[in-house]
Amino acid sequence: MARFVLRRLLQSCVVLLGVTLVVFLLLQLVPGDPVRVALGTRFDPQTYEALRARAGLDQPLVAQYFDYLGRALTGDLGVSFRSGRPVTSIVLERLPATLSLAVTAVVFATLIAFPLGILSAIRSGSFVDHAARVFSQFGVSVPDFWMGIMGILLFAGVLGWLPPSGYVALTEDPAGWASHVALPAATVGLVTASILTRFIRSSMLEVLSEDYVRTAEAKGLRTRVVVLRHVLRNALIPVVTVVAVQLASLLGGVIVIEVLFAWPGIGRLTYDSVQARDYPVLQGAILLVAALFLLVNLLVDILYARLDPRITVR
Amino acid sequence: MSDRAVLAVEDLTVTIGTRRGPARAVAGVDWSVRAGETLALVGESGSGKSMSVLAATGLAPRSARVTGRVHLLGTELTGLPGEDRRRMRGRHVGFVFQDPMTSLNPVLTVGRQVTEAGEEHLGLTRRAARARAVELLDLVGIPSPAERVDAYPHQFSGGMRQRVVIAMALACEPDLLIADEPTTALDVTTQAQIVELVADLQRRLGTAVVWITHDLGVVAGIADTVAVMYAGRILEQGPVDAVFTNPSHPYTTALLAARPDPDGGGDELVTIQGSPPSPLDLPAGCAFWPRCPVRGAARCEHELPPLVPVAADHHVRTFYPHHTDGGVPT
């Protein structure tokens, strides 16, 4: 197992290296000159050249890339064009906000999707099943920003129970954090829950028709035991992937939702740095998201091996 | 008779709701099996042999409507709440299904799967159940059972898996073992071993066995009584010797004639022309009539022949018993 993890970590590093290259090259293709944008109205040729030289932008591309890579290895992702602060700390200070939103949303989603998906499958064709299907259809087809706006109107406007937007760190004020995270997490979580409910339902239905479920029923086991021990454990295997993909994509920041709720996460940061052509920050944000994605994938592979004995990790 | 029977079904019908209307899978059958006895249910795929057993034990699909009476150890099962039926089934009936590659749960150890019925119905502790699992795996001939008990199904061969399934079925020392084509998915040498294993266990444990099969060779070897099913009905039923030496229904005769000769006599397989009727649209008369070599009688087409005795305990559903030569009856 340790060897498996080590090998996967090494592979992840190679992928990350690829990510740096692709992002670096892509940003070269984006129209617009960051130095010009940074200078704005204070533009004059001398300052322009000086700033370009300071950022290393007058060097050849290859040199720029290896320079960037070398410093990235030591944890130095460069300096923001806009604020002049180190990118590493800008990106890392956005991490808790995104992490807490993503995790809360996924927990919220699984709490809804598992009972609903399971019930919907074992009582297929019943009222619960139809209700679950309407719910998931609603969740995947209604845009999340609209649901967010409706949430703000209802819970912040009409009822006045929750703040409409903003962020409080969990470490500073847990209660304040909870009241601020509730709306964005529920908005994002509702979409995730809809997708998950569908997957759990169809995965459960597939397993329910397996021969070994009939074997379990033939043994005279309680329905609860048959469903939880025999059906769910097998149905979980494909569902884990979906949960992981959802979590990973939420870790990448839900741009629209973070902007809507003024949530200072990675998504918001990405949005702002694109607007400002702040390439170093954008690069740093993308790199962090890619790293998180790879980490989640590694965890899923380990979880797979725990769930399915037919998969051996070597 | 039903007081001595382990499992007895009377006038059992199973109707399955399908998109194209109700399908009559079992159209009124009676059979019973006594302790230590083996009943073979024989028939082609779709003849209702498996469905009659599944329905009798409460394992019919949810879309099925079951009527008739079923007695397990003298207890009437029909009309019993599902919970009680579940308990009766787990405690007194063991099942061995067709394909051991799919009838074991891939993510649970074989030990866990063998023991869970004992934990549920006999109240065994985890520890006692585990010891029992090792015992059972040993009983069904799995080498070094103490180590294999923690292995997963994919680490076993097909024949060994079927032994695990048999161990599982015997976990609560059932009064009745239901073997639903347990050898069909296995290779020939393994088939013989599994048949021998079940026959041996039956002699030692005195269990009643219902053996569902289309393999007449197996029937001759292990069964005491046989019921030949076709399109949801029993066409011939009786002691296995009587049915095999004196087949009285044209269908049974044809089935026996269609057996491949193991000594290699003749190059061509004998077949029965045509195929069984759709359970969505069963004929009013004898369901076998369109394929019957004893053709000609208009009566067969429109009138259902009753099940009549031709000898002691030997019944047959035809107007023309013993017509085996294909001649038109007079």
Side-chain angles (χ1 to χ4, degrees), chain B residues 48-116:
Chain B
K49 53 193 194 305
S50 294
M51 189 53 74
S52 72
V53 175
L54 292 179
T57 48
L59 287 177
R62 259 195 292 169
S63 57
R65 216 174 66 82
V66 181
T67 67
R69 286 169 302 283
V70 179
H71 288 88
L72 177 61
L73 298 165
T75 307
E76 166 87 58
L77 285 190
T78 26
L80 215 58
E83 266 298 280
D84 297 338
R85 220 165 13 169
R86 169 182 76 76
R87 247 177 249 126
M88 285 288 285
R89 172 172 71 230
R91 176 64 193 83
H92 300 291
V93 187
F95 291 83
V96 180
F97 292 110
Q98 183 170 347
D99 189 353
M101 303 314 258
T102 57
S103 56
L104 286 169
N105 189 329
V107 305
L108 299 176
T109 64
V110 299
R112 188 88 193 86
Q113 295 185 64
V114 169
T115 56
E116 57 183 354

Side-chain angles (χ1 to χ4, degrees), chain B residues 181-201:
Chain B
E181 305 205 31
T183 60
T184 309
L186 304 173
D187 63 63
V188 178
T189 44
T190 320
Q191 284 184 1
Q193 288 169 11
I194 295 295
V195 170
E196 193 40 55
L197 174 67
V198 173
D200 177 54
L201 288 169

Side-chain angles (χ1 to χ4, degrees), chain B residues 67-321:
Chain B
T67 67
R69 286 169 302 283
V70 179
H71 288 88
L72 177 61
L73 298 165
T75 307
E76 166 87 58
L77 285 190
T78 26
L80 215 58
E83 266 298 280
D84 297 338
R85 220 165 13 169
R86 169 182 76 76
R87 247 177 249 126
M88 285 288 285
R89 172 172 71 230
R91 176 64 193 83
H92 300 291
V93 187
F95 291 83
V96 180
F97 292 110
Q98 183 170 347
D99 189 353
M101 303 314 258
T102 57
S103 56
L104 286 169
N105 189 329
V107 305
L108 299 176
T109 64
V110 299
R112 188 88 193 86
Q113 295 185 64
V114 169
T115 56
E116 57 183 354
E119 285 172 41
E120 170 72 31
H121 301 291
L122 305 177
L124 297 182
T125 60
R126 271 279 180 116
R127 209 164 157 179
R130 197 188 147 83
R132 175 95 180 110
V134 175
E135 223 175 274
L136 284 162
L137 292 180
D138 190 40
L139 180 74
V140 297
I142 287 179
S144 45
E147 290 139 46
R148 301 297 271 162
V149 73
D150 292 320
Y152 289 94
H154 71 276
Q155 294 162 320
F156 288 79
S157 68
M160 284 295 151
R161 285 194 202 195
Q162 198 59 306
R163 285 172 193 265
V164 171
V165 176
I166 293 170
M168 223 160 68
L170 296 175
C172 297
E173 298 182 346
D175 299 277
L176 173 66
L177 189 67
I178 287 168
D180 189 352
E181 305 205 31
T183 60
T184 309
L186 304 173
D187 63 63
V188 178
T189 44
T190 320
Q191 284 184 1
Q193 288 169 11
I194 295 295
V195 170
E196 193 40 55
L197 174 67
V198 173
D200 177 54
L201 288 169
Q202 180 184 28
R203 275 193 296 274
R204 281 155 66 184
L205 307 172
T207 318
V209 175
V210 174
W211 192 292
I212 301 164
T213 183
H214 54 249
D215 185 340
L216 292 168
V218 171
V219 177
I222 61 162
D224 300 299
T225 56
V226 57
V228 178
M229 288 190 67
Y230 187 84
R233 285 201 175 87
I234 291 176
L235 296 190
E236 183 158 3
Q237 178 172 34
V240 73
D241 295 336
V243 173
F244 273 58
T245 54
N246 186 22
S248 300
H249 196 285
Y251 180 57
T252 318
T253 314
L255 271 187
L256 288 169
R259 272 193 298 175
D261 185 352
D263 301 326
D267 300 322
E268 266 182 65
L269 286 172
V270 181
T271 57
I272 306 174
Q273 293 297 314
S275 47
S278 159
L280 289 163
D281 185 24
L282 286 182
C286 176
F288 186 59
W289 177 80
R291 303 172 74 188
C292 188
V294 192
R295 296 290 288 270
R299 194 179 174 196
C300 298
E301 192 184 349
H302 301 292
E303 195 182 326
L304 182 69
L307 204 58
V308 293
V310 287
D313 295 330
H314 186 178
H315 294 75
V316 62
R317 189 187 289 281
T318 175
F319 294 122
Y320 307 103

